[in-house]
Amino acid sequence: MRVRVDTSKCQGHNRCYALAPELFDVDDLGTAFVLNDGVVPAGLEAKARLAEKNCPEYAIVIED
Amino acid sequence: MADIKDLETYLNEVYGPVTDWMTDFDHANPEYNENAHALWDEMRDKCPVAHTTRYGGTWLPVTHEYVSEIAYDTDRFTSRSVVVSRMKPSLAPDMPPAPIGTAPPISSDPPFHHDARRVMLPAFAPKKIAAWEGDVRALCNELLDNVEGQEVIDAAVDYAQHIPVNVIARMLGFPLEDSDLFRKFVHDVLEGVDEPVHVRQPKFDRLFDYISVQIEEHQANPREDLTSFLLNATIYDQPLSMRHVAGSIVLLLLAGIDTTWSAIGSSIWHLATTPADRERLVREPELMPTAIEEFLRAYAPVTMARLVKEDMDFHGCPMKAEDWVLLPFPAANRDPKEFADADKVIIDREENRHSAFGLGIHRCMGSNLARLELTIAVEEFLKRYPNFELSDTAGVKWSNGQIRGPRKLPVRILPNK
Ligand code: HEM
Ligand code: SF4
């Protein structure tokens, strides 16, 4: 599984970073970026989905 | 905008009772916030865009779809003023024009908005804000100590209201002993939106005068705080204008205080009235993060506003240039098309794309701070008082205007079961 942040939509609500800090980080301006090139380590798929389901801007994209 | 034949009368007329909530609503009428959830549900079924001629013409869309469409559409809707009152920018010739506005970045439109926001964002980044946790926890405990032993406490007045004021005063480097004073200034400005202009304007003047004194004091004695940070900040390689600095400070006070106070109060109100959720949170404190997001969704305190730029048709509504459009994020959060069981509070809700902190470019800059204050305030309250109830249902008083939350919240402390 891979995960991606659509930076044109991300507004820095920081939900992804709060819910799945293993997969996302945020920069100084609050904008999210993926760790590990977006490759979701085995066992963290549920966390990636959780982040996707809690992004108010629909900015997180999951690619299976 | 409706024709204003007699400006004096328009500015100073006292609005009467609401005749019909779909066609003559008044968001500053006390009944609006008291019955908000039922009113929005009814509007969603019947309209879903309510209208009133008050304030020179105001629209109220209540679906998630329409609220997000407007929040994203900065071409057709301007943020030049985000609090509905009679005082439209066209009636206030000395009000700074778009795209800057009186209180950047909330009153700004693209492209200036982005640059003004960038100046302040680093001060509110998650890792910067996390450093305040210890201070906030100590503050909450101090407030609880002050009312220790009382059988009944007002959770809004004795507790919730002090938390954001005290935190922002520390961040700005304002005298902590002035907290009560400027909380009152802010409160007067936010709750008096339906007042005649001659009553309202002096309240703004008092707030700006107070801030000017603090700015001058910081110019003389710079230090490590948000006020000095803003005085040193630059935009396009120039220092921020004094008007910009003062406007941004007013914004932090206006945007951070009644909002967070309301969110804390509503969450405690929910726990006082829903014993099952309170007991579960005490038993399973690991649910706190989802519970807090659910309280933010279900009791979102903040409705913002936009002004229509040019005459247009919005899904059949004939919007006129300079009409107000309220952006009720709290109503969007209760739209059954966007949320399963939208009307139920589910403290372990897994999917929650609520928009309590707005949508699009104006996403609340203080959201990390607000979440920190709200989480700690609820945690510490529950730790100290795992069992409590409303002491007097009729004694609960909700705010007036665009920020919704309990302003009086008497709770009786019960023995721990
Ligand atoms: C639970 C508490 C809070 C809620 C629900 C809330 C909600 C919001 C909302 C909905 C907006 C969007 C405005 C718009 O679209 O026009 C906003 C903007 C803003 N908020 Fe908050 N807020 C809260 C607390 C705070 C705090 C504590 C601060 C700072 C100390 C703050 C600072 C700001 C600022 C500076 C903006 C303007 C951002 C911009 O225009 O780019 N807020 N807030
Ligand atoms: S939750 Fe969405 S909007 Fe917020 S930081 Fe993550 S990707 Fe960006």
Side-chain angles (χ1 to χ4, degrees):
Chain A
M1 183 193 266
R2 292 181 71 94
V3 66
R4 183 161 65 78
V5 174
D6 180 342
T7 44
S8 70
K9 288 186 174 170
C10 172
Q11 298 291 350
H13 290 256
N14 292 326
R15 300 293 299 130
C16 52
Y17 169 63
L19 291 166
E22 305 88 341
L23 304 174
F24 302 91
D25 201 350
V26 285
D27 66 19
D28 230 25
L29 302 178
T31 311
F33 58 92
V34 290
L35 301 173
N36 194 31
D37 278 338
V39 178
V40 178
L44 291 180
E45 292 85 354
K47 280 211 164 185
R49 288 208 181 85
L50 189 64
E52 191 268 328
K53 285 185 197 160
N54 282 276
C55 174
E57 309 284 350
Y58 288 88
I60 294 175
V61 186
I62 289 183
E63 289 152 357
D64 285 294
Chain B
M1 158 169 170
D3 282 337
I4 295 175
K5 292 190 185 71
D6 176 354
L7 188 61
E8 273 305 299
T9 311
Y10 166 77
L11 291 177
N12 293 306
E13 115 185 69
V14 175
Y15 290 146
V18 170
T19 55
D20 180 307
W21 283 95
M22 308 301 127
T23 56
D24 179 39
F25 77 87
D26 189 339
H27 65 291
N29 183 303
E31 287 173 34
Y32 178 81
N33 278 346
E34 272 163 33
N35 305 317
H37 299 161
L39 280 173
W40 294 327
D41 287 346
E42 191 183 344
M43 288 168 181
R44 220 180 281 110
D45 287 344
K46 288 194 183 156
C47 305
V49 184
H51 182 257
T52 181
T53 54
R54 295 168 196 236
Y55 309 99
T58 309
W59 302 89
L60 176 68
V62 293
T63 62
H64 183 275
E65 185 192 342
Y66 288 0
V67 168
S68 48
E69 182 180 336
I70 295 166
Y72 290 137
D73 188 349
T74 54
D75 289 335
R76 296 196 298 171
F77 299 93
T78 167
S79 279
R80 192 167 170 212
S81 182
V82 289
V83 178
V84 172
S85 74
R86 291 154 218 250
M87 215 48 208
K88 297 202 179 187
S90 55
L91 301 175
D94 56 351
M95 191 164 161
I100 300 176
T102 36
I106 210 168
S107 60
S108 315
D109 290 329
F112 179 80
H113 169 267
H114 173 261
D115 303 325
R117 183 172 164 97
R118 233 187 133 84
V119 172
M120 276 158 90
L121 270 172
F124 290 93
K127 290 159 205 173
K128 274 267 161 53
I129 293 303
W132 287 87
E133 175 171 349
D135 281 32
V136 178
R137 224 174 267 288
L139 167 68
C140 291
N141 276 295
E142 214 175 282
L143 293 167
L144 291 170
D145 289 344
N146 290 344
V147 290
E148 181 73 48
Q150 280 177 224
E151 189 203 339
V152 172
I153 62 178
D154 189 324
V157 174
D158 300 331
Y159 187 60
Q161 73 169 336
H162 298 287
I163 299 167
V165 189
N166 196 292
V167 173
I168 199 68
R170 285 174 205 229
M171 289 180 90
L172 286 166
F174 287 10
L176 288 184
E177 60 274 17
D178 288 357
S179 298
D180 282 336
L181 190 73
F182 68 76
R183 193 188 58 239
K184 192 178 168 334
F185 294 165
V186 167
H187 187 68
D188 286 351
V189 165
L190 280 175
E191 293 231 341
V193 288
D194 56 344
E195 288 165 356
V197 168
H198 69 272
V199 179
R200 186 162 161 74
Q201 189 56 43
K203 297 182 171 178
F204 267 101
D205 296 344
R206 266 205 316 251
L207 179 59
F208 270 96
D209 289 347
Y210 177 79
I211 287 168
S212 308
V213 173
Q214 299 304 324
I215 291 180
E216 280 162 27
E217 198 274 323
H218 275 78
Q219 282 168 323
N221 305 295
R223 43 195 189 264
E224 287 278 309
D225 58 27
L226 207 48
T227 306
S228 292
F229 169 88
L230 288 170
L231 286 168
N232 289 328
T234 56
I235 189 162
Y236 316 125
D237 298 323
Q238 298 290 321
L240 306 185
S241 68
M242 268 322 111
R243 202 165 185 171
H244 187 147
V245 172
S248 295
I249 292 176
V250 169
L251 169 58
L252 291 176
L253 297 177
L254 291 181
I257 297 179
D258 278 25
T259 50
T260 314
W261 172 15
S262 299
I264 298 170
S266 295
S267 304
I268 295 177
W269 178 85
H270 178 83
L271 294 171
T273 51
T274 323
D277 282 350
R278 193 187 62 246
E279 286 160 18
R280 190 165 173 216
L281 259 187
V282 170
R283 264 193 333 268
E284 304 172 55
E286 65 281 7
L287 292 183
M288 194 57 81
T290 47
I292 293 294
E293 294 308 314
E294 181 66 344
F295 298 152
L296 282 166
R297 181 192 71 84
Y299 305 106
V302 179
T303 291
M304 281 290 120
R306 301 290 185 260
L307 285 158
V308 175
K309 276 199 198 162
E310 284 167 17
D311 291 5
M312 66 159 165
D313 177 273
F314 183 79
H315 300 280
C317 302
M319 294 187 174
K320 298 264 173 293
E322 292 266 321
D323 275 357
W324 295 104
V325 183
L326 281 160
L327 271 188
F329 297 110
N333 279 350
R334 287 181 163 262
D335 184 345
K337 267 188 154 166
E338 180 70 8
F339 298 92
D341 292 318
D343 57 342
K344 295 202 179 68
V345 177
I346 302 172
I347 61 172
D348 58 355
R349 187 182 286 274
E350 193 185 272
E351 178 164 0
N352 194 351
R353 293 190 185 87
H354 73 76
S355 52
F357 293 110
L359 288 169
I361 61 169
H362 292 278
R363 185 271 303 169
C364 176
M365 212 150 52
S367 63
N368 299 304
L369 178 62
R371 282 191 162 103
L372 179 86
E373 291 182 30
L374 174 59
T375 305
I376 294 177
V378 173
E379 273 175 7
E380 295 305 315
F381 195 88
L382 264 188
K383 254 190 240 165
R384 185 84 59 120
Y385 301 122
N387 194 8
F388 57 91
E389 63 184 10
L390 292 185
S391 74
D392 164 22
T393 316
V396 176
K397 192 181 167 297
W398 295 85
S399 57
N400 290 349
Q402 285 176 226
I403 313 297
R404 178 177 188 272
R407 293 293 172 260
K408 286 210 175 86
L409 183 58
V411 298
R412 177 177 294 106
I413 307 302
L414 300 171
N416 194 1
K417 279 198 246 170

